[in-house]
Amino acid sequence: MKIDLTDTTSSRINSGLIQARRAIGTPAVGMVLTLVIVTDEGSAYDALKAATEASKEHPSRILVVIKRPGRSPRDRALARLDAEVLVGSEAGTGETVVLRLHGELAQHAESVVLPLLLPDAPVVVWWPEAGPDDLASDPLGKLGQRRISDAAAAEDPVGTLGLRADSYSPGDTDLAWTRVTPWRSMLAAALDQKHSKISGAIVEGEAYNPSVELLALWLADRLGVPVERKVSGGPGITGVHLTSADGEICLDRPDGALAELAMPGQPDRHVALKRRETSELIAEELRRLDPDDIYRATVQFGTTHLVASGNGSPAAPGAPTPAAAKADPAPAAKKPAAAPAKKAASGSGKASSK
């Protein structure tokens, strides 16, 4: 069921939700959280589709906030709220409200969203596109126990990781980090088996891909070894190579779907490691609403232990550019990069003491 409300208020939207539920006989109980999506018209459809798919696993009230401040001074001086209320099959297993905030009201979105939150239920705020520099200080971000951004959608994906390190607050996370979960699980399982000490690592992936950088930072932080970053044609992360005295542990995924794991003294094996849809990433993040301490440690670790490959590697936060790497007479693989941000620099002390 769909109800269109023009020039409305939050109170009328709540009344519309009650009316729609009564009309189709769907109670409000069973919804476990409120998901607030802050986006624009261009990304609203894809974001709502992903959230609706994720609601099959996590029944929720989805509030889509689309800000339309206007281009002319007259439009910016107006304040109008339009809404679409979706309940039933069109809204997955929960209910959806699409909010379009016009004019000056776009600067006060929190005042519209607050009355529509489910009572006594956690709130998750998601920015499908580039989010604010400080998620926790954003007026809408303050409403959420969990705040999800996506560095891959930013204009400077890798540089955004420095902003996330600087402004991190408990509850912040990023879909670039969520994309790394299968890789971390597979590598952790491989390293749980008997092997000699890891002395170095190489991470291969697309240029300017924040997931590649986060995986390299995680390995550098956890293993305490220098990590070299190499550029490949993708898609996404294409390979991880860990060097040990016994030989090389290699996890290769050239096609974005099937990976091959090679370990010293064992036969090579194929493992499923497909690139996941946004709905799967959101569903994973909604499974836990507590702070992600591993993400915090990784993003604040910095690039002290990342090593430039000298073959066109993207400039990670503070890393030397390819030209600088070529101009250095010393091998680039021996040159550690600088930390990306103030907090990242302080986070690198842990690895330095290893």
Side-chain angles (χ1 to χ4, degrees):
M1 182 176 182
K2 179 179 178 180
I3 301 176
D4 287 323
L5 300 171
T6 304
D7 198 4
T8 187
T9 63
S10 297
S11 177
R12 292 175 187 170
I13 294 172
N14 267 321
S15 298
L17 286 168
I18 296 172
Q19 175 189 345
R21 287 199 300 265
R22 287 176 177 172
I24 65 174
T26 303
V29 295
M31 288 183 285
V32 298
L33 57 88
T34 303
L35 176 61
V36 180
I37 305 174
V38 188
T39 184
D40 54 25
E41 290 286 1
S43 304
Y45 175 81
D46 290 336
L48 182 55
K49 181 180 178 181
T52 302
E53 286 294 319
S55 73
K56 295 177 181 178
E57 183 177 338
H58 309 277
S60 56
R61 174 177 290 181
I62 302 171
L63 305 178
V64 184
V65 179
I66 301 174
K67 299 180 181 180
R68 306 184 68 175
R71 298 180 180 179
S72 68
R74 180 179 179 181
D75 290 339
R76 290 194 291 269
L78 298 175
R80 190 179 87 242
L81 172 63
D82 297 335
E84 297 176 20
V85 178
L86 305 172
V87 177
S89 59
E90 296 185 24
T93 57
E95 52 193 25
T96 300
V97 181
V98 181
L99 304 166
R100 289 182 171 85
L101 285 65
H102 299 266
E104 188 178 354
L105 189 61
Q107 308 303 321
H108 306 281
E110 70 281 2
S111 63
V112 177
V113 170
L114 186 59
L116 301 176
L117 302 178
L118 286 172
D120 302 321
V123 179
V124 178
V125 185
W126 172 32
W127 291 268
E129 298 300 313
D133 291 347
D134 189 341
L135 303 181
S137 297
D138 182 80
L140 284 173
K142 291 179 180 178
L143 301 177
Q145 285 77 38
R146 200 70 189 266
R147 296 166 294 275
I148 306 172
S149 57
D150 191 355
E155 184 175 350
D156 181 9
V158 178
T160 300
L161 298 179
L163 293 176
R164 298 291 168 252
D166 270 341
S167 62
Y168 177 83
S169 292
D172 290 357
T173 191
D174 198 286
L175 292 186
W177 173 249
T178 315
R179 294 182 182 98
V180 175
T181 301
W183 285 87
R184 293 193 297 126
S185 300
M186 194 65 62
L187 291 170
L191 292 175
D192 277 343
Q193 303 181 43
K194 186 178 180 180
H195 61 84
S196 59
K197 182 177 175 61
I198 302 298
S199 58
I202 299 173
V203 178
E204 299 176 348
E206 289 177 314
Y208 306 105
N209 187 312
S211 295
V212 183
E213 308 299 332
L214 285 172
L215 181 58
L217 289 170
W218 176 72
L219 287 171
D221 183 24
R222 293 291 149 178
L223 298 177
V225 299
V227 178
E228 183 178 351
R229 166 75 165 89
K230 286 188 176 181
V231 175
S232 69
I237 305 169
T238 56
V240 176
H241 305 266
L242 305 177
T243 305
S244 70
D246 297 334
E248 187 176 76
I249 300 173
C250 178
L251 183 60
D252 264 329
R253 188 192 65 177
D255 60 358
L258 191 65
E260 184 177 63
L261 177 63
M263 298 185 64
Q266 298 185 21
D268 296 352
R269 71 195 79 160
H270 289 93
V271 293
L273 205 62
K274 74 179 184 69
R275 305 190 76 195
R276 297 181 292 169
E277 300 290 337
T278 304
S279 58
E280 298 175 86
L281 303 176
I282 290 296
E284 178 185 326
E285 286 299 334
L286 296 182
R287 290 182 199 128
R288 54 174 298 172
L289 299 177
D290 56 315
D292 190 339
D293 292 331
I294 304 301
Y295 167 71
R296 174 195 57 78
T298 299
V299 78
Q300 291 184 348
F301 176 75
T303 54
T304 304
H305 282 68
L306 289 182
V307 180
S309 65
N311 63 344
S313 174
T321 62
K326 291 178 181 178
D328 193 336
K334 301 296 184 183
K335 183 178 179 182
K342 295 178 182 177
K343 286 191 178 179
S346 62
S348 64
K350 176 180 176 184
S352 300
S353 62
K354 293 183 180 180

